């Protein structure tokens, strides 16, 4: 088991990463000085695999869990589901000193976190991520929220958990496509912040694809360390935290124009990272060979790295990017790589250049 500390003053917490940790959840929560009663928010797929173990472990630790199960999928990140969760927590007599356990992928983490942040003006939150994406990204750093018709994650809060428990054994039941989608975020950490991690991923991709627990433990913990370092420096994304969005400017727009759900998030940001790698080569001199390595590694992870760019599709993408939260002074802002392991944020890139890169290179 590895432990990563997120030091944020009185909002500090630990991330524990390892195999077989769900059975120790009650013990871990027992060290946090929390009330006996807790709400476990999960989705109907995760529940079938892991809820029994979590409830048993919490009871064994002396807690009294109330379970709230929501439908699996992005659509659960909405007001009506938040409202239902609040009502069920109140019916289960959760109090100010109670806590919420979010057991699931990024959807349950964002939703459950938002419910915890708002129930009785905030109760403690324990994140128990069960997808690779949630273990390396969404459960860490405190962004919680839900979607509006107008767009994803438009309502939310920064609300740090009291603890993150990433049990690698839960990844054993994750569908292959979801697992590979999470690998896009893993590759991203190497690309933006750690050239050694990137090289390690090049060497150990087979072990990762085989979900070998030893490889997973050190890689997931390293990704959490990188995210923790970034969040500790810039919790509210006024600067450096933006580097976590490498590949996401193009990736989010691509998800939007393809229709959410067609491309998984990780698939869209794999293509986005390659496009933003080309932009990095054109704008700040990233070596062409580095873009090839990035594309090669994402491809070995079983992710798409290119899509067919017609002129009409490029225009739709540019339009979607214009409504992105990252637009400033009328220019879309990108995270670019100066080399593998080193990212710069806030680069304004003109639409002409984006158009020419997409039409010229993405073939
Ligand atoms: P998800 O939560 O929808 O999970 C994907 C699918 O896998 C779901 O069907 C789920 O039921 C199933 N699943 C989860 N764990 C499983 C397991 N162990 N075994 C079997 N099935 C399992 O998707 P995700 O990719 O984890 O998260 C995507 C969400 O995360 C998006 O809403 C995105 O906005 C959010 N996100 C948030 C942050 C943040 O910082 N808060 C960062 C990145 C992404
Ligand atoms: N997923 C990006 C962030 O947490 O800032």
């Amino acid at each position: 088991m590895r432990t990563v500390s997120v030091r944020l003053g009185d909002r500090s917490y630990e991330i524990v990463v390892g195999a077989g940790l769900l059975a120790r959840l009650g013990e871990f929560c027992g060290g946090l000085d929390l009330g006996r009663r807790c709400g476990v928010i999960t989705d109907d797929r995760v529940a079938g695999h892991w809820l029994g173990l979590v409830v048993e472990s919490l009871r064994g630790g002396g807690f009294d869990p109330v379970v709230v199960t929501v439908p699996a999928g992005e659509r659960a990140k909405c007001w009506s589901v938040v409202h239902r969760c609040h009502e069920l927590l109140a019916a289960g007599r959760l109090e100010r000193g109670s806590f919420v356990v979010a057991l699931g992928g990024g959807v349950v983490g964002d939703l459950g976190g938002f419910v915890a942040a708002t129930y009785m003006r905030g109760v403690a939150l324990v994140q128990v991520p069960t997808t690779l994406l949630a273990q390396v990204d969404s459960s860490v750093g405190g962004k919680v929220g839900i979607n509006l018709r107008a767009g994803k994650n438009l309502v939310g809060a920064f609300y740090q958990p009291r603890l993150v428990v990433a049990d690698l054994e839960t990844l054993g039941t994750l569908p292959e496509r979801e697992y590979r989608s999470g690998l896009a975020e893993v590759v991203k950490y190497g690309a933006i912040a750690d050239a050694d991690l990137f090289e390690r991923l090049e060497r150990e991709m087979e072990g990762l694809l085989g979900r070998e627990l030893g490889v997973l433990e050190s890689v997931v913990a390293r990704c959490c360390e990188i995210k923790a370092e970034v969040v500790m420096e810039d919790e509210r994304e006024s600067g450096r935290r933006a580097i976590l969005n490498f590949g996401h400017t193009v990736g989010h727009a691509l998800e939007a124009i393809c229709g959410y759900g067609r491309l998984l998030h990780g698939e869209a940001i794999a293509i986005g990272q390659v496009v933003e790698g080309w932009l990095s080569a054109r704008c700040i001199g990233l070596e062409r060979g580095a873009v090839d390595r990035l594309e090669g590694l994402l491809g070995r992870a079983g992710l798409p790295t290119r899509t067919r760019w017609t002129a009409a599709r490029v225009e739709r993408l540019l339009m979607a990017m214009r409504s992105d939260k990252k637009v400033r002074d009328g220019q879309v802002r990108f995270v670019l790589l100066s080399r593998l392991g080193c990212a710069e944020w806030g680069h304004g890139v003109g639409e002409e250049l984006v158009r020419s890169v997409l039409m010229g290179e993405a073939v």
Side-chain angles (χ1 to χ4, degrees):
M1 182 179 97
R2 298 193 188 212
T3 303
V4 177
S5 297
V6 186
R7 289 180 303 278
L8 292 166
D10 60 0
R11 284 164 290 102
S12 298
Y13 55 98
E14 296 201 323
I15 306 162
V16 284
V17 179
L21 300 185
L22 286 193
R24 298 180 57 194
L25 183 62
E27 173 199 331
F28 291 131
C29 292
L32 295 177
D33 193 24
L34 300 166
R36 266 190 69 231
R37 211 170 284 265
C38 58
V40 179
I41 301 183
T42 190
D43 76 33
D44 51 20
R45 291 210 185 122
V46 175
H49 296 291
W50 302 106
L51 180 60
L53 188 50
V54 162
V55 167
E56 192 186 324
S57 171
L58 287 168
R59 286 202 181 120
F63 296 102
D64 184 8
V66 172
V67 173
V68 179
T69 306
V70 304
E74 189 69 31
R75 280 196 306 188
K77 277 174 61 174
C78 70
W79 278 117
S80 60
V81 174
V82 169
H83 182 236
R84 204 178 125 249
C85 290
H86 283 154
E87 292 288 0
L88 290 171
L89 297 185
R93 301 194 317 284
L94 262 78
E95 304 157 354
R96 291 292 300 275
S98 305
F99 63 105
V100 165
V101 174
L103 169 70
V107 164
V108 165
D110 283 10
L111 167 78
F114 187 64
V115 168
T118 46
Y119 182 73
M120 294 199 173
R121 300 198 182 88
V123 293
L125 168 67
V126 174
Q127 290 277 11
V128 184
T130 62
T131 63
L132 183 56
L133 177 138
Q135 294 190 349
V136 299
D137 187 1
S138 58
S139 65
V140 176
K143 284 188 182 176
V144 298
I146 57 170
N147 304 326
L148 296 182
R149 270 205 206 98
K152 277 186 61 164
N153 301 324
L154 291 185
V155 173
F158 286 97
Y159 195 70
Q160 300 293 345
R162 290 284 301 281
L163 172 71
V164 180
V165 178
D167 184 344
L168 303 168
E169 279 180 9
T170 61
L171 302 180
T173 55
L174 193 62
E176 185 66 18
R177 194 173 162 205
E178 296 288 349
Y179 181 77
R180 290 179 184 237
S181 176
L183 287 175
E185 299 285 0
V186 171
V187 170
K188 179 196 79 178
Y189 284 110
I192 61 171
D194 187 346
D196 290 343
L197 173 64
F198 193 92
E199 278 172 26
R200 189 152 170 232
L201 296 173
E202 290 181 312
R203 285 195 308 274
E204 299 193 15
M205 184 48 77
E206 294 318 310
L208 264 186
L209 285 170
R211 308 187 198 192
E212 286 173 19
L213 291 174
V215 181
L216 266 172
E217 185 173 284
S218 61
V219 167
V220 169
R222 180 63 194 132
C223 293
C224 289
E225 256 169 32
I226 294 170
K227 180 142 187 188
E229 279 161 17
V230 171
V231 168
M232 288 188 293
E233 189 179 320
D234 176 24
E235 186 182 3
R236 298 220 159 203
E237 199 168 326
S238 47
R240 186 163 181 245
R241 186 164 178 166
I243 66 170
L244 300 172
N245 293 326
F246 176 62
H248 286 57
T249 307
V250 169
H252 278 156
L254 198 54
E255 277 181 281
I257 67 170
C258 291
Y260 288 107
R262 288 250 185 98
L263 270 183
L264 295 181
H265 177 70
E267 294 167 348
I269 67 143
I271 295 169
Q273 286 182 67
V274 175
V275 172
E276 293 177 21
W278 287 322
L279 287 173
S280 304
R282 293 281 284 268
C283 296
I284 60 169
L286 177 67
E287 280 178 17
R288 185 66 211 215
V291 188
D292 293 340
R293 279 175 68 192
L294 179 61
E295 181 166 13
L297 186 56
L298 290 163
R300 282 178 57 210
L303 290 157
T305 56
R306 296 184 180 214
T307 182
R308 205 169 56 85
W309 293 108
T310 60
R313 202 158 191 227
V314 169
E315 293 316 311
R316 286 175 58 220
L317 185 95
L318 289 171
M319 198 186 302
M321 284 193 325
R322 276 179 222 129
S323 60
D324 192 284
K325 282 181 275 190
K326 292 175 271 303
V327 173
R328 210 174 63 226
D329 302 331
Q331 255 196 344
V332 181
R333 302 284 149 175
F334 284 86
V335 177
L336 300 178
L337 304 180
S338 52
R339 57 184 162 78
L340 285 175
C342 191
E344 298 174 4
W345 69 94
H347 279 279
V349 178
E351 286 193 357
E352 265 321 304
L353 184 56
V354 179
R355 210 177 259 116
S356 102
V357 160
L358 291 175
M359 296 305 287
E361 309 209 37
V363 287

